[in-house]
Amino acid sequence: MELFIIKRDGSKEVFSVDKIKNAIAKAFLSVGSFATQDVLCNILCRVSIRDGISVEEIQNQVEVALMAEKYYAVAKSYMLYRQRHAEDREVTEKLNFMMDYCNAANAATGSKFDSNANVENKNMATLIGELPKSNFIRLNRRLLTDRIKDMYGKELADKYVELLENHFIYKNDETSLANYCASITMYPWLIGGTSSIGGNSKAPGNLKSFCGGFINMVFMVSSMLSGACATPEFLMYMNYFIGLEFGNDYYQNADKVVDLSKKQRTLDKVITDYFEQIVYSINQPTGARNFQAVFWNISYYDRFYFESLFEHFVFPDGNKPHWESLSWLQKRFMKWFNRERTRSVLTFPVETMALLTENNEPKDKEWGDFAAEMYSEGHSFFTYLSDNADSLSSCCRLRNEITDNGFSYTLGAGGVSTGSKSVLTINLNRCIQYAVKGGMPYQVFLEDLVDKAHKIQAAYNENLKNMQSKGMLPLFDAGYINMGRQYLTIGVNGLVEAAEFLGIEINDNPDYEKFVQQILGLIEKYNKKYRTPELMFNCEMIPAENVGIKHAKWDREAGYKVNRDCYNSYFYKVEDDSLNLIEKFRLHGRRYIEHLTGGSALHLNLSEHLSKEQYWQLLKVAAQEGCNYFTFNIPNTVCNDCGHIDKRMISECPVCKSKNLDYLTRIIGYMKRVSNFSQARQQEASKRHYAKVS
Amino acid sequence: MLKYLSFDIVFQEVPDEVTLAINISGCPNRCKGCHSPYLMEDIGEALNEEALANLLGRYTNAITCVCFMGGDSEPGSVEQLSLFVRESSNRRLRTAWYSGKNNLPSGCSPESFDYIKLGPYVEELGGLDSPVTNQHFYKIEDGKMKDQTEAFTKKMRQFEFEDVCAV
């Protein structure tokens, strides 16, 4: 019978004893010795070959055999030889990866470790960012396993790697060393400029230095985070500086010429020129972030949120924030940005409007009305609703309970500072299918895993504190973000898929509600159990730009039931056209999101824009159902030939009649061209059900 | 007896309303090129006050309008159901009727509805969003039928932007 061995590339080859003999003979020669037939026979007697054995296994046996026969010098030489080849192979692998990347259709498809559509083009700079990613993963794993070993013992450290390698859990952003994302307070910058975080700019003193300095500050902060940077006070500060120069009633004189140069600009034009400078600068690819733009978020507030967040706020000169002018400036920015997006593809800022609700509708009628107006004009932004101003969301991952509405003369408003230090995601589909197949109650398996996930996150926190003690985290030291106000996030992915596997229908029914409550409730139970004054946990349905695809692929390869190529980031099946819009709000309503303390965004996909009256009614529906975070997503059209951008989803360019079109839609939180998505995401986008409105 | 096959939440059929549209089967009109010919068959479940109350139970606070799509075989029943919707919602919900007939049946009063669409589907002339359509969409105000068909052809206009905010 012929024996086959498995080569490193996975191919099969007929086993040849001569090849082993040759390798051993060469090892003897390399130390100035010679292997006789007898010697070779003795060594080979210790090697047992079976069908399907791998090259690696054979070489391991040869090593052991050489040592057992006491040829220590030869064994050492053989091992070193193997090591050199392993290193060669690594370089070859990197080279191959490089060439594959260069040949890939776009940057997100080419990326092996952490694909992200937030990169327009592939080029030398993005490649340079891509290459060390595998080393970062190893480094991060080592840092964390060492710490887990210290805190909880070797068993948990080994278990962590095992869970990762078998895709029960996923460590988000393992390709970066920095902590995840933050919503910052800008007060330390307002007082002291950027020197406390390693920069050299002084505190902003006027509108011009505010706008220029703001851009630099956002770039600096973002380079020390692996994810998003939210500046929820951006417009409030800008409003303050405009007021300093033009008076708090400036908005009533916006049409006056204030620029005496030949341009004769009105105040409105001066303000929108600053918008332009800031927004276009921040949308540029950034060197320090592998040519990604910084992920920038801003917030708008209704009067009640504003009052609750900033009632005690005082600027260093003793001035208080001025609501009427800020209200105008917020509206002006939204109108300007919506218009500007027909001129250029602008991804950032991601905007969130916080509205307080009362009796199931926006309490501030003016701002509720304005939200409906902006949606009806085709603007795409998130709305955060709450019947109590005790929580806030400044980005998909930045929902927080406002425990401190106080004001400090060094740190500013307490409520805006939050973020996530680290995200560890549980692949629910894998966990539940694994448990059920093994004849184990999945609740028991999950509970044990959730417990471990919290320990792992606690270990991460210790590493972060260690970094801080070495002076590596100036954002914390300078007070831009606060260790105690940042969450450790337990992410979930594959929830819908797990429910499907259990035979539960994915719509609003008691079984599904019970399942969701049970799973997320379990995580919340442990979030509370592990909470200490310095450890806060939250739970989030992660947007999963690439994790959803990876999990689907890995689980399918491992023989699990996988119904789609990208796991959902919603409580419903993205391709399900039997669910109407109201049902989707319901599935992201209070009964389902109750335990999702870190938030999840409902993206309502529509094929056409609605009227203001209709959006107003849908705001009410969201408030009734308790759906606190959502946006409406109507793909915009970009003409690849003439560059025309249209807010509608159309099949022919109205300007040049071209049919060579691309569509802009939200991938997770932000708008990008569909052709920049990774290939699997493009398929998901094409399957998304855009509710017919006619 | 009226029967319905399905329902949906729609936005374009009745301007500015969030509408629960009920697709009534047994359509007696035999329009050439009909986009849902299966609705000509006598299929689905009974559409009576009880069925309607069930649907409203699930959606009443979420919607602003109920639209009866079809029902030309029993116009009197459609009118009764329309009045039932009004009554059971304390007149909060508006009602609409998409009829394939050219005129409102003699026994029916326009006042029983807030919106009425009339006219069969003629393939060459197209639906309400076609500029040459034969169909008409009316809003009922003070018992009078006001033609608002134009609202549908304007639908696909490009967005108009205000450049300056009102103070």
Side-chain angles (χ1 to χ4, degrees):
Chain A
M1 189 191 82
E2 258 185 338
L3 285 177
F4 283 90
I5 61 158
I6 310 289
K7 293 175 71 179
R8 282 198 178 78
D9 63 2
S11 66
K12 280 185 169 185
E13 192 179 272
V14 178
F15 170 69
S16 147
V17 77
D18 287 337
K19 284 196 173 173
I20 305 185
K21 279 185 178 171
N22 274 338
I24 300 172
K26 277 186 189 163
F28 273 84
L29 287 172
S30 72
V31 296
S33 177
F34 178 76
T36 64
Q37 280 303 319
D38 278 357
V39 169
L40 284 175
C41 263
N42 288 340
I43 296 166
L44 285 173
C45 280
R46 293 179 179 271
V47 176
S48 82
I49 305 294
R50 56 184 162 72
D51 196 37
I53 194 168
S54 71
V55 171
E56 204 71 19
E57 274 178 85
I58 298 175
Q59 291 184 341
N60 287 344
Q61 288 192 38
V62 171
E63 275 181 22
V64 175
L66 284 169
M67 288 189 284
E69 293 290 320
K70 301 199 166 57
Y71 297 111
Y72 296 117
V74 181
K76 185 177 174 190
S77 168
Y78 185 76
M79 285 179 222
L80 288 173
Y81 168 84
R82 283 184 75 190
Q83 176 61 24
R84 275 196 304 277
H85 275 255
E87 282 163 16
D88 277 356
R89 274 195 302 277
E90 209 181 296
V91 175
T92 311
E93 240 172 64
K94 281 246 148 107
L95 269 176
N96 289 340
F97 167 72
M98 238 176 92
M99 295 328 291
D100 286 351
Y101 186 87
C102 296
N103 291 329
N106 66 31
T109 304
S111 177
K112 191 170 166 188
F113 297 102
D114 197 6
S115 70
N116 192 323
N118 180 21
V119 180
E120 286 285 338
N121 313 99
K122 54 172 185 150
N123 59 31
M124 191 48 83
T126 62
L127 176 60
I128 290 169
E130 224 32 68
L131 283 175
K133 280 186 174 178
S134 63
N135 294 343
F136 273 127
I137 292 179
R138 262 184 276 169
L139 195 59
N140 276 322
R141 276 193 197 174
R142 181 64 185 273
L143 278 169
L144 199 47
T145 47
D146 282 355
R147 179 67 64 181
I148 297 171
K149 224 182 281 177
D150 272 0
M151 291 170 67
Y152 304 102
K154 188 170 182 305
E155 200 185 334
L156 184 63
D158 292 345
K159 190 75 192 175
Y160 170 57
V161 176
E162 187 195 317
L163 290 171
L164 275 179
E165 286 175 350
N166 289 298
H167 311 302
F168 290 102
I169 56 175
Y170 181 88
K171 180 77 189 73
N172 300 60
D173 295 279
E174 231 182 350
T175 55
S176 163
L177 267 183
N179 48 302
Y180 191 66
C181 64
S183 168
I184 62 167
T185 161
M186 307 204 300
Y187 214 75
W189 174 61
L190 189 65
I191 298 174
T194 55
S195 59
S196 60
I197 55 168
N200 56 10
S201 63
K202 298 224 159 33
N206 57 46
L207 181 57
K208 193 166 181 231
S209 64
F210 168 80
C211 294
F214 177 78
I215 298 165
N216 291 334
M217 189 270 294
V218 168
F219 278 135
M220 285 186 69
V221 169
S222 296
S223 67
M224 288 184 263
L225 297 169
S226 60
C229 163
T231 57
E233 299 162 317
F234 162 62
L235 287 168
M236 191 189 89
Y237 278 38
M238 185 169 175
N239 184 56
Y240 161 72
F241 282 104
I242 301 173
L244 273 189
E245 265 161 66
F246 299 98
N248 277 341
D249 61 349
Y250 74 86
Y251 61 98
Q252 288 167 326
N253 307 305
D255 54 349
K256 294 234 168 80
V257 173
V258 294
D259 174 3
L260 300 179
S261 73
K262 279 186 188 166
K263 288 191 175 162
Q264 294 281 301
R265 294 180 302 166
T266 61
L267 178 54
D268 188 75
K269 177 73 174 137
V270 168
I271 290 170
T272 53
D273 279 354
Y274 280 125
F275 291 161
E276 188 177 314
Q277 177 198 356
I278 291 169
V279 168
Y280 277 82
S281 298
I282 292 183
N283 275 282
Q284 290 302 309
T286 313
R289 291 174 58 85
N290 306 337
F291 221 58
Q292 280 190 43
V294 303
F295 200 128
W296 177 42
N297 298 268
I298 64 165
S299 304
Y300 311 111
Y301 307 102
D302 68 5
R303 174 190 285 274
F304 301 103
Y305 254 104
F306 167 80
E307 283 171 358
S308 155
L309 276 173
F310 303 117
E311 65 174 318
H312 305 298
F313 190 98
V314 184
F315 285 102
D317 62 1
N319 272 320
K320 300 206 46 118
H322 188 254
W323 167 248
E324 279 72 25
S325 53
L326 174 61
S327 176
W328 181 88
L329 190 70
Q330 292 187 142
K331 291 180 182 178
R332 189 68 193 94
F333 184 84
M334 282 183 97
K335 291 266 176 183
W336 172 84
F337 194 37
N338 188 35
R339 174 96 193 235
E340 204 60 28
R341 275 186 161 160
T342 63
R343 300 189 170 121
S344 184
V345 179
L346 293 167
T347 307
F348 300 108
V350 173
E351 311 145 83
T352 298
M353 184 186 290
L355 297 176
L356 199 72
T357 58
E358 191 177 65
N359 303 324
N360 290 333
E361 59 179 39
K363 189 175 175 187
D364 185 338
K365 295 284 174 298
E366 182 189 341
W367 270 88
D369 195 62
F370 187 70
E373 180 179 324
M374 288 312 297
Y375 279 126
S376 74
E377 286 180 14
H379 193 40
S380 185
F381 58 98
F382 287 92
T383 296
Y384 184 74
L385 296 181
S386 176
D387 55 11
N388 194 323
D390 63 358
S391 69
L392 184 67
S393 200
S394 33
C395 149
C396 50
R397 218 165 247 177
L398 297 177
R399 182 175 181 272
N400 68 317
E401 303 299 323
I402 301 173
T403 46
D404 170 16
N405 262 356
F407 171 79
S408 112
Y409 281 94
T410 49
L411 298 174
V416 300
S417 172
T418 185
S420 174
K421 298 173 189 172
S422 151
V423 186
L424 184 67
T425 294
I426 298 173
N427 176 2
L428 290 169
N429 196 26
R430 166 81 59 128
C431 290
I432 287 176
Q433 291 200 28
Y434 174 83
V436 170
K437 282 182 179 170
M440 199 189 316
Y442 67 82
Q443 296 90 335
V444 175
F445 180 82
L446 260 184
E447 182 147 5
D448 177 59
L449 186 106
V450 169
D451 183 58
K452 289 189 167 77
H454 283 77
K455 289 184 171 137
I456 294 161
Q457 287 284 55
Y460 177 89
N461 195 64
E462 282 306 305
N463 276 351
L464 198 65
K465 275 164 61 189
N466 186 43
M467 283 282 182
Q468 190 186 8
S469 71
K470 312 270 184 218
M472 300 300 287
L473 305 174
L475 294 180
F476 290 98
D477 295 332
Y480 285 61
I481 47 183
N482 179 316
M483 206 47 118
R485 286 210 190 106
Q486 291 253 312
Y487 291 89
L488 293 160
T489 300
I490 305 291
V492 291
N493 187 227
L495 178 93
V496 161
E497 288 73 15
E500 279 179 302
F501 168 76
L502 293 172
I504 299 171
E505 269 191 72
I506 311 300
N507 53 35
D508 180 26
N509 68 71
D511 287 344
Y512 185 50
E513 183 183 335
K514 190 173 149 212
F515 173 75
V516 171
Q517 290 253 2
Q518 177 193 55
I519 301 285
L520 301 180
L522 174 69
I523 295 172
E524 200 185 4
K525 179 176 134 192
Y526 277 84
N527 285 350
K528 286 181 176 155
K529 185 176 163 191
Y530 276 87
R531 185 171 180 150
T532 68
E534 63 174 29
L535 289 180
M536 275 201 310
F537 293 86
N538 63 7
C539 172
E540 182 203 3
M541 185 179 262
I542 57 160
E545 173 178 352
N546 64 74
V547 186
I549 298 164
K550 286 178 182 171
H551 278 157
K553 179 171 160 272
W554 291 329
D555 289 351
R556 186 173 281 146
E557 282 166 6
Y560 292 94
K561 187 166 178 269
V562 174
N563 291 343
R564 54 191 63 80
D565 294 338
C566 176
Y567 287 175
N568 276 283
S569 307
Y570 310 100
F571 284 105
Y572 53 86
K573 292 183 275 184
V574 76
E575 74 277 8
D576 187 354
D577 58 5
S578 73
L579 287 178
N580 63 52
L581 212 63
I582 311 268
E583 297 291 340
K584 288 179 181 173
F585 270 116
R586 211 157 264 173
L587 282 170
H588 277 253
R590 61 178 66 81
R591 285 178 290 128
Y592 291 88
I593 65 169
E594 185 191 342
H595 301 296
L596 218 48
T597 45
S600 76
L602 168 62
H603 293 212
L604 288 157
N605 297 320
L606 301 171
S607 62
E608 280 178 56
H609 295 277
L610 312 184
S611 72
K612 183 175 168 181
E613 290 77 6
Q614 289 168 329
Y615 281 120
W616 173 257
Q617 176 65 20
L618 292 179
L619 288 176
K620 284 169 68 173
V621 170
Q624 281 161 20
E625 297 298 335
C627 172
N628 60 16
Y629 202 50
F630 57 89
T631 186
F632 299 97
N633 190 18
I634 298 94
N636 290 6
T637 307
V638 194
C639 175
N640 288 327
D641 289 330
C642 77
H644 173 75
I645 301 177
D646 204 290
K647 294 256 167 203
R648 300 166 295 177
M649 188 182 186
I650 46 180
S651 53
E652 183 186 285
C653 173
V655 177
C656 75
K657 309 288 171 204
S658 166
K659 289 195 159 62
N660 175 17
L661 305 171
D662 211 340
Y663 298 98
L664 304 176
T665 189
R666 279 184 190 282
I667 180 156
I668 39 177
Y670 51 95
M671 307 269 291
K672 289 306 270 187
R673 275 177 194 259
V674 171
S675 66
N676 278 351
F677 293 10
S678 70
Q679 228 148 49
R681 262 288 171 195
Q682 289 188 31
Q683 280 165 17
E684 185 264 333
S686 71
K687 272 188 208 145
R688 272 183 210 178
H689 177 66
Y690 287 97
K692 274 200 313 282
V693 283
S694 53
Chain B
M1 181 183 64
L2 286 177
K3 287 182 183 174
Y4 76 107
L5 193 66
S6 58
F7 62 88
D8 200 359
I9 302 294
V10 299
F11 298 90
Q12 301 298 323
E13 278 72 4
V14 188
D16 296 342
E17 306 282 357
V18 175
T19 302
L20 172 69
I22 301 170
N23 295 314
I24 299 171
S25 54
C27 180
N29 309 316
R30 293 286 180 267
C31 305
K32 193 174 155 244
C34 171
H35 54 53
S36 25
Y38 48 88
L39 288 177
M40 294 175 194
E41 291 166 49
D42 182 32
I43 47 174
E45 288 171 38
L47 181 63
N48 47 32
E49 292 188 358
E50 193 192 342
L52 202 49
N54 266 332
L55 277 178
L56 290 179
R58 191 159 179 87
Y59 293 108
T60 190
N61 289 323
I63 56 173
T64 59
C65 180
V66 173
C67 181
F68 300 94
M69 311 296 286
D72 285 328
S73 59
E74 286 181 49
S77 304
V78 176
E79 187 175 19
Q80 279 311 305
L81 289 173
S82 174
L83 294 172
F84 171 76
V85 168
R86 274 191 186 166
E87 195 184 324
S88 60
S89 70
N90 289 323
R91 293 196 71 98
R92 192 186 70 79
L93 291 179
R94 287 172 286 275
T95 61
W97 185 17
Y98 263 54
S99 162
K101 300 292 183 200
N102 275 316
N103 299 298
L104 202 61
S106 52
C108 284
S109 159
E111 282 180 306
S112 305
F113 300 90
D114 297 279
Y115 306 95
I116 295 171
K117 186 230 89 177
L118 292 176
Y121 178 69
V122 180
E123 220 171 353
E124 304 78 54
L125 303 178
L128 279 172
D129 54 355
S130 157
V132 292
T133 186
N134 60 302
Q135 301 183 327
H136 287 273
F137 184 87
Y138 301 95
K139 186 171 188 178
I140 319 300
E141 273 172 2
D142 307 323
K144 294 200 176 63
M145 294 170 69
K146 294 193 174 163
D147 197 318
Q148 303 217 322
T149 314
E150 261 200 347
F152 289 81
T153 42
K154 277 190 189 157
K155 198 180 68 186
M156 280 303 277
R157 71 181 156 67
Q158 175 56 287
F159 280 85
E160 290 149 21
F161 294 98
E162 286 174 66
D163 233 1
V164 180
C165 289
V167 172

